[in-house]
Amino acid sequence: MSRFFSKRLNRLVPYTPGEQPKDQQYVKLNTNESPFPPSPKAMEEAIKEEQRLQLYPDPDVSALREAFCVQYPVRPDQVVFSNGSDDLLNFAFIAFCDDETPAYFPDITYGFYPVFADINRIDYTEIPLDEALRIDPKDYVGRKGTVFLANPNAPTGCILSVSEIEDLVEKNKDSVFVIDEAYVDFGAESCIPLVSKHDNILIIGTFSKSRSFAGGRLGFAVGCESLIADLNTIRYSTNPYNINRLTIAAGIGILNDPDYMRKNARTIIENRAWTTEKLRELGFELTDSYANFVFAKSSWIGGEKLYLELKKRGVLVRHFSKPRIEDYLRITIGTREQMQILIDRITEIKTEEES
Ligand SMILES: *Cc1c(COP(=O)(O)O)cnc(C)c1O
């Protein structure tokens, strides 16, 4: 830290992204990326922009919003895009939290929420997950503030049903519920249809997971017109050109090819079921994950040790040194071949531990 760094921020602890190692080729199961490339339509559309890169992109991102509304039951003024959904989560903290409206989220959830609260100097309360590492909706009734829930939750993969969320939204009409649906396409149900009925729910989505576009940086928020207008106030006050032309064009290609995304999501769901069964046979306990990862704890080795042993053998997974979950690993679901390598390596480690 330089002696010039703002005193307002000198206790800020930045988010720690998953490792992106360059030293060797790993079977990379640590950042929930897709093992598949994006739809070929992404590049087909992006290449057409080549001759227009001297021009700023459309700050309203109209063409992309219109393509979105062909796939989802909302109007263009009910959706806003940004440079990854992390950007929009940050905007939601800025727009919908203040001293009277602090943030509430689970104690075990996406690690970026407390960082966004801190950088914007917003108070927050972390509400413990229950014994089974699940969100208990009752804990979020009567909170005077803005609630952030990942559904499926990260890193547990557990879900709330749309009716449980709608019930919360109805019982707490003066609180905004921000529902982060980064993993919704892997078997959960989206709350997007609720935005036409309720003015206090905001859905955040991303192209980084099921749409295989983490490197393109594209996320969206869906809500009633006035919530979306507020997010645009923040976006236009920071960087209205924050989605580049290539990404906008590729995003349209991706939206126009929903079958490709669904097919890949089905493959991940099948591979998740296979991996879950194999890990159970190897003595693991798993949460009921509806995401493109499993969250697993073994009866015969600690989480950090298993993470290190796997890394030595060329398999990268995510470990969190946090009370209650330090013996768990979050393992991204990749191709069947990748999952077979994971299971083979764990089997080797188990044989060594037992000898
Ligand atoms: C991956 C992820 C995101 C988002 O990412 P972007 O790449 O910024 O769109 C948001 N929320 C959760 C819970 C995630 O796991």
Side-chain angles (χ1 to χ4, degrees), residues 243-284:
I243 317 171
N244 71 73
R245 275 186 178 272
L246 300 175
T247 288
I248 293 173
I252 293 170
I254 290 170
L255 281 172
N256 289 343
D257 195 1
D259 292 343
Y260 179 86
M261 181 269 270
R262 281 189 213 113
K263 176 176 70 88
N264 286 339
R266 273 198 303 276
T267 305
I268 296 296
I269 292 169
E270 281 163 26
N271 295 352
R272 181 177 70 207
W274 183 86
T275 307
T276 300
E277 192 188 310
K278 294 289 170 194
L279 287 173
R280 285 213 174 103
E281 285 167 19
L282 284 165
F284 283 78

Side-chain angles (χ1 to χ4, degrees), residues 32 83-87 89 110 113 150 154 180 182-183 205-209 214 217-219:
N32 299 341
N83 184 23
S85 63
D86 289 335
D87 216 21
L89 287 164
Y110 189 34
Y113 301 159
D180 180 351
Y183 301 105
T206 179
F207 279 42
S208 297
K209 312 284 162 61
R217 312 304 303 129
L218 190 59

